Amino acid sequence: MIMNNIDSFLNSVGVIDTETTGTTENDDIIQLSIMIRLQMTKENSYYTSLYKPGIPVPPESSAVHFLSDDDVKDAPTFAQEAESVSIVIDTFKYLIA
C-alpha cells in the first residue's frame, strides 16, 4: 500500500505515469506508476498499481499499453485508492507527470 512510507515522501520529487482506457475525460485509469526520489536518502522508491476500470479495456488501448481486462479483473478501482494517492502526491515538493 502506498501509504506505508508517507513520512519519507515529504519534500521529495514524484514522477507519475498512467495508462488509461482512452484519451478523453470519460476514460478510466487502469495503471498508475509513481517513482519517488526520496530527499532524505537520495534513493528512489517505486509504486505501481493496476485498477479495474468501469468499462472494458478497448482493444485499441490494449494495443498501446498491453493491459487487458484479464490483467485488471481482480484489481481495485482507482476511486477506491484515489484519496491515498492524493495524500502522497500532496507531499511532493515537485511533481513531474
Side-chain angles (χ1 to χ4, degrees):
M1 169 138 202
I2 195 167
M3 295 297 291
N4 291 349
N5 298 318
I6 189 74
D7 290 338
S8 65
F9 298 162
L10 293 172
N11 295 316
S12 296
V13 177
V15 180
I16 294 178
D17 182 48
T18 61
E19 300 299 343
T20 64
T21 56
T23 58
T24 71
E25 63 187 40
N26 297 321
D27 288 301
D28 291 335
I29 294 173
I30 58 174
Q31 183 179 40
L32 174 71
S33 298
I34 304 174
M35 194 252 351
I36 303 152
R37 176 69 173 180
L38 303 173
Q39 278 302 95
M40 296 187 320
T41 63
K42 304 298 184 202
E43 295 176 356
N44 294 332
S45 181
Y46 301 93
Y47 167 81
T48 296
S49 186
L50 294 174
Y51 300 105
K52 185 176 183 177
I55 62 170
V57 179
E60 55 272 13
S61 295
S62 290
V64 173
H65 50 58
F66 305 105
L67 296 169
S68 69
D69 290 325
D70 282 344
D71 295 319
V72 297
K73 69 180 177 199
D74 296 323
T77 65
F78 182 73
Q80 291 173 302
E81 292 192 0
E83 185 175 347
S84 295
V85 170
S86 177
I87 290 168
V88 170
I89 289 171
D90 286 345
T91 67
F92 297 148
K93 185 173 184 177
Y94 301 102
L95 177 63
I96 302 166

